[in-house]
Amino acid sequence: FHKDGFLVLEQFFSTEECDSMRSQIQKIIAEMEVPPHCRTEFSTREEEQLQAQGSSDYFLTSGDKIRFFFEKGVLDGKGNFLIPKEKSVSKIGHALHAYDPVFKQITHSPKVQELGRKLGLERPVVVQSMYIFKQPGIGGEVTPHQDATFLHTEPLGRVLGFWIALEDATQENGCLWFIPGSHTNGITRRMVRAASGASTCVEFVGSEPAYDDKQFIPLPINKGGLILIHGEVVHKSELNSSDSSRHVFTFHVMEAKGTTWSKENWLQPTPELPFPSLYT
C-alpha cells in the first residue's frame, strides 16, 4: 500500500454481505423520490462537472443525506426518465454510512476497524460514502483523478478510500486502473467551493496533468474484494460497454489526528452529521 498507493484484498467481504448491500440499495431505489429540478447527471469531465454538480445545491448539500445522481442521457429536457429509473442511477451518496443500517454496519464492521488499526490509523473518521452502479452499456468513464482533489486535507496523505466490489469488476465492465507510485507527487488540482455569487457552487483551481495511458495498470477484482486507495494515487475507470453492471460500495476515511479538513472542500461536516469515528 505504501509503495504503490493501493492494495487489493480479495474475499474481504462475504457473498452474503455483498448481496445484503445490493438488496438494500434496491429497496432504496424503489422508494426513491427525486424532484425533477434535483435530477443531476453525474460526470467527472471538468466542464460537465461544473455545469451539472457545480450549479447544483442538491450535490453541494448531499454530504449528510442520501441522494441520487444519474447517468448521462437518461433524462429528457424536462427531467423525466427515458429509461427505467433503476437502470438510470449512476450513484447514491454521500451519507449511506450514517443513515442506512446495512451500509453503516459494513462501514464499521470489525474487519474494517481492524484494517484501520493495521494501517496505523489512530483517529479515523468517515467523511463520505457512495454506492456506484456503473450501469451496463452506459456506465460512464471516470477520468484520471486523485481523491485529494475533492477531499483536501492539511497535511496531505490523510484520506483513504475503501472500495468494495459487490460484483466482479473486470476490464470489460469498468474495473479501476492505477498508476503505481503516483501518490508521492502531491496534487496539482483542487475542487473548491466558489465565492458566493459565482455562477457555479464549486470551481477547479489548477489543472490535472496529461497522464500517459501506458502507465496505468488494470485492477480487476472479484466480488467481495476490497481495494484500498491512497488519497493521492492517480486512478480512473473506463466506460462500461458490457452487458453486466459493476456495483460498488465505497467510503472515504480521514485520519483526524493532527489533520485539518479544508474549509474549501465541497463536502463539509454539519451539526446534524459531524464526521463519525470509524472505531466504535
Side-chain angles (χ1 to χ4, degrees):
F1 176 73
H2 293 298
K3 177 166 103 20
D4 292 329
F6 58 85
L7 182 67
V8 178
L9 298 168
E10 289 280 10
Q11 297 177 318
F12 194 83
F13 288 96
S14 68
T15 300
E16 293 72 29
E17 287 170 315
C18 293
D19 293 346
S20 73
M21 288 186 264
R22 293 196 60 187
S23 61
Q24 186 68 2
I25 216 73
Q26 294 314 318
K27 288 182 198 152
I28 290 171
I29 290 176
E31 295 163 10
M32 166 173 81
E33 287 298 330
V34 188
H37 70 277
C38 295
R39 290 178 184 168
T40 299
E41 292 185 351
F42 188 72
S43 172
T44 60
R45 293 199 170 278
E46 190 165 309
E47 296 308 312
E48 293 170 359
Q49 216 167 24
L50 290 175
Q51 198 179 347
Q53 284 111 264
S55 59
S56 165
D57 248 4
Y58 186 75
F59 169 73
L60 209 58
T61 57
S62 64
D64 61 353
K65 299 176 189 68
I66 295 176
R67 287 193 166 163
F68 305 89
F69 303 90
F70 299 93
E71 290 290 358
K72 278 193 284 195
V74 301
L75 302 168
D76 67 14
K78 297 190 177 130
N80 300 310
F81 290 104
L82 298 168
I83 62 173
K85 65 179 183 180
E86 65 276 5
K87 293 263 194 292
S88 64
V89 186
S90 164
K91 68 173 202 171
I92 297 177
H94 289 89
L96 288 160
H97 64 280
Y99 296 130
D100 182 274
V102 172
F103 292 100
K104 187 175 194 172
Q105 189 180 0
I106 291 288
T107 303
H108 297 281
S109 61
K111 50 194 166 189
V112 168
Q113 297 192 43
E114 184 194 358
L115 185 54
R117 292 194 169 94
K118 283 182 176 168
L119 289 162
L121 301 176
E122 293 185 53
R123 279 182 40 215
V125 295
V126 186
V127 298
Q128 70 161 1
S129 56
M130 294 180 282
Y131 192 106
I132 303 169
F133 293 82
K134 205 76 159 173
Q135 300 281 5
I138 59 168
E141 67 170 328
V142 176
T143 52
H145 68 284
Q146 298 163 290
D147 293 342
T149 286
F150 309 95
L151 309 172
H152 193 268
T153 58
E154 296 280 345
L156 281 171
R158 300 303 174 88
V159 170
L160 172 65
F162 290 72
W163 193 95
I164 305 158
L166 306 184
E167 302 177 277
D168 293 351
T170 65
Q171 285 196 48
E172 291 68 44
N173 72 3
C175 71
L176 293 180
W177 295 66
F178 286 82
I179 300 180
S182 56
H183 61 302
T184 57
N185 304 326
I187 60 168
T188 57
R189 183 175 75 132
R190 287 184 58 190
M191 186 171 92
V192 298
R193 288 182 170 237
S196 60
S199 61
T200 57
C201 302
V202 292
E203 59 193 8
F204 284 97
V205 178
S207 59
E208 202 71 51
Y211 297 109
D212 178 359
D213 265 351
K214 292 195 284 295
Q215 289 186 289
F216 284 93
I217 62 161
L219 283 198
I221 188 167
N222 293 314
K223 177 177 177 173
L226 169 71
I227 301 179
L228 283 176
I229 304 174
H230 188 286
E232 286 137 86
V233 74
V234 178
H235 57 292
K236 66 174 183 175
S237 67
E238 304 290 349
L239 177 79
N240 179 6
S241 51
S242 79
D243 53 12
S244 61
S245 55
R246 190 221 67 185
H247 287 208
V248 164
F249 177 57
T250 179
F251 57 92
H252 283 90
V253 165
M254 173 182 73
E255 169 61 89
K257 186 181 180 186
T259 308
T260 306
W261 181 256
S262 173
K263 291 269 188 282
E264 294 183 308
N265 287 338
W266 75 268
L267 175 77
Q268 294 295 329
T270 62
E272 296 75 34
L273 183 61
F275 294 153
S277 171
L278 180 68
Y279 301 149
T280 50

